[in-house]
Amino acid sequence: MTPAAPAPTSPRTVVIAEDETLIRMDLAEMLTEEGYDVVGLAGDGAKAIELATELRPDLVILDVKMPVLDGIAAAEAIAGKRIAPVVILTAFSQRELVERARDAGAMAYLVKPFTQSDLVPAIEMALSRYAELAQLEAEVSGLQDRLETRKAVDRAKGILQEQLKLSEPDAFRWIQKTAMDLRLSMRQVAEGVVTHGPGTAPGAPSSATGTTDPS
């Protein structure tokens, strides 16, 4: 008997909120060409929250400057409800705005004008960070502990990226695997990396491949 063919993977669904119609349509076209399913379009932040709540997409893309409710306020509401990862679009590259978006819960951002080749890495980063956040929240119950854990893990990832030349997702996997190997929490491992650097704990993986330090 011939085995059944695997079911095709459904495309990731996206809601876009951008008050400039031309940019909104161009973005939808780019996403469709990249294999995403654009399920909702909005011209303001309030409508974006409504669509995200109703449609539960895999991703929400929000412009910063929008009427009724701006993108950062909308990102905060969507992230607070744990609906989907958010990518912020902005024509302004000031550090303060990027930090405000991050604090609101955005997982990645794009500075306009951007190209189709800029879009996919930002989406992948947002999806990866959102998955990391879900894993951290599964490990830690209290809100304050979650925030402290996330800060420690973010700092540790930066150190691992610099010292071990890992990508951001591989740095997270390094922390995750070390925590499992040593039966520690990810926060304990992250704080150890921040204080002492990678590879100092017995059994810590020496690379993203999962090999262990022979010492």
Side-chain angles (χ1 to χ4, degrees), residues 1-35:
M1 182 177 177
T2 305
T9 304
S10 298
R12 292 189 184 276
T13 55
V14 185
V15 165
I16 299 169
E18 161 65 64
D19 64 328
E20 294 188 35
T21 304
L22 184 59
I23 295 176
R24 187 167 67 239
M25 300 311 295
D26 283 348
L27 183 53
E29 184 178 350
M30 288 183 193
L31 288 165
T32 300
E33 288 176 358
E34 291 293 341

Side-chain angles (χ1 to χ4, degrees), residues 22-122:
L22 184 59
I23 295 176
R24 187 167 67 239
M25 300 311 295
D26 283 348
L27 183 53
E29 184 178 350
M30 288 183 193
L31 288 165
T32 300
E33 288 176 358
E34 291 293 341
Y36 296 92
D37 182 10
V38 178
V39 295
L41 296 171
D44 64 74
K47 183 64 175 178
I49 296 171
E50 181 185 325
L51 288 174
T53 303
E54 176 188 349
L55 300 172
R56 296 280 160 173
D58 297 311
L59 180 77
V60 179
I61 299 179
L62 302 170
D63 186 36
V64 166
K65 299 292 185 182
M66 290 190 291
V68 186
L69 197 66
D70 69 25
I72 291 178
E76 189 168 21
I78 291 166
K81 295 178 181 179
R82 295 293 181 266
I83 294 173
V86 173
V87 174
I88 287 284
L89 302 177
T90 176
F92 309 96
S93 57
Q94 290 97 329
R95 185 70 188 170
E96 179 189 352
L97 191 58
V98 173
E99 290 177 356
R100 280 182 58 212
R102 183 197 63 203
D103 291 344
M107 297 288 114
Y109 73 98
L110 274 171
V111 177
K112 294 186 285 188
F114 55 86
T115 65
Q116 194 160 330
S117 61
D118 297 324
L119 187 61
V120 174

